Amino acid sequence: VGFSDLVLGRKENHGLKNILVALGSSTASKELKEFIIPALEKWNSKDRKIYCSSKLKPYLAEHFEGIEIFGYEKDSLVNMDCALIRAGLGTISDCVTSKVPMIFLNDKCPEINYNEKVLVKLGIGKSVHECQEGEPFFELNGEIYSSMIDNMHELKLGGDMEAAAQIMDFYWRVNG
């Protein structure tokens, strides 16, 4: 079941103001959570809002002020400018449907690791490690961010089921 609004037209690039930390329905390992803190320390500013699930908020609130709960039933993913994710297929499908570029956390799970490679190949996702190594990803209207937004629009998907189908099609083409 998709929780995102379908974006059919062009989603405007107004810069990174709203960042969603979305680790999917699974409980993130301590190791994954430890990747989130350095990323958010670098990207947190008074001009940006950081959202997460109610489950993740107590952990993030230990490190940051002003973390807001993102309610998947009441809030729209379309309003997010970027998602820091564990690259599960449901989260990817929702982000693609809402045209939200993704930064992934380099999970060791083979399925998730494969999904991360697809995101990079499609130009709609980037590793949190690469973003922390001096690349200007989180500069307002930065070139990398703009490119990811453009790549989202080139997918021309009609919904989360089509997004999942495209990822699986890519999988079968690569793995025969």
Side-chain angles (χ1 to χ4, degrees):
V1 174
F3 291 105
S4 56
D5 295 324
L6 176 60
V7 176
L8 294 174
R10 181 146 190 94
K11 184 174 175 180
E12 292 304 314
N13 175 1
H14 62 272
L16 280 156
K17 296 186 169 120
N18 298 309
I19 301 170
L20 175 64
V21 179
L23 302 182
S25 60
S26 65
T27 304
S29 68
K30 183 179 178 190
E31 182 178 320
L32 279 180
K33 286 180 181 177
E34 288 173 358
F35 288 136
I36 295 169
I37 299 306
L40 293 180
E41 282 174 346
K42 182 173 183 176
W43 303 327
N44 193 24
S45 77
K46 63 180 178 172
D47 300 333
R48 296 192 179 114
K49 288 187 179 178
I50 298 171
Y51 297 84
C52 67
S53 68
S54 57
K55 243 168 56 171
L56 191 56
K57 184 177 179 176
Y59 176 77
L60 293 180
E62 291 176 18
H63 303 276
F64 304 100
E65 292 180 16
I67 301 291
E68 298 192 28
I69 293 176
F70 184 87
Y72 288 89
E73 294 80 27
K74 67 176 181 63
D75 295 322
S76 176
L77 192 55
V78 171
N79 295 326
M80 297 296 111
D81 300 308
C82 180
L84 181 61
I85 68 168
R86 178 176 184 259
L89 193 54
T91 303
I92 292 171
S93 295
D94 285 341
C95 287
V96 168
T97 301
S98 296
K99 297 183 180 172
V100 176
M102 295 159 272
I103 304 298
F104 55 83
L105 294 171
N106 301 87
D107 197 294
K108 292 179 182 176
C109 168
E111 175 190 343
I112 300 295
N113 188 258
Y114 172 77
N115 294 346
E116 295 166 354
K117 290 175 186 171
V118 173
L119 292 175
V120 170
K121 182 102 173 158
L122 293 173
I124 59 175
K126 200 150 187 67
S127 162
V128 70
H129 297 298
E130 291 177 52
C131 293
Q132 289 177 292
E133 292 174 1
E135 291 193 30
F137 181 87
F138 277 87
E139 287 181 10
L140 220 50
N141 298 316
E143 197 176 305
I144 297 168
Y145 178 68
S146 293
S147 173
M148 289 171 73
I149 294 260
D150 290 342
N151 292 337
M152 283 283 187
H153 292 290
E154 289 175 13
L155 292 176
K156 299 189 188 317
L157 299 174
D160 55 358
M161 293 305 292
E162 289 182 43
Q166 175 143 344
I167 291 169
M168 287 309 298
D169 179 60
F170 180 80
Y171 172 83
W172 290 117
R173 281 187 280 135
V174 169
N175 295 305

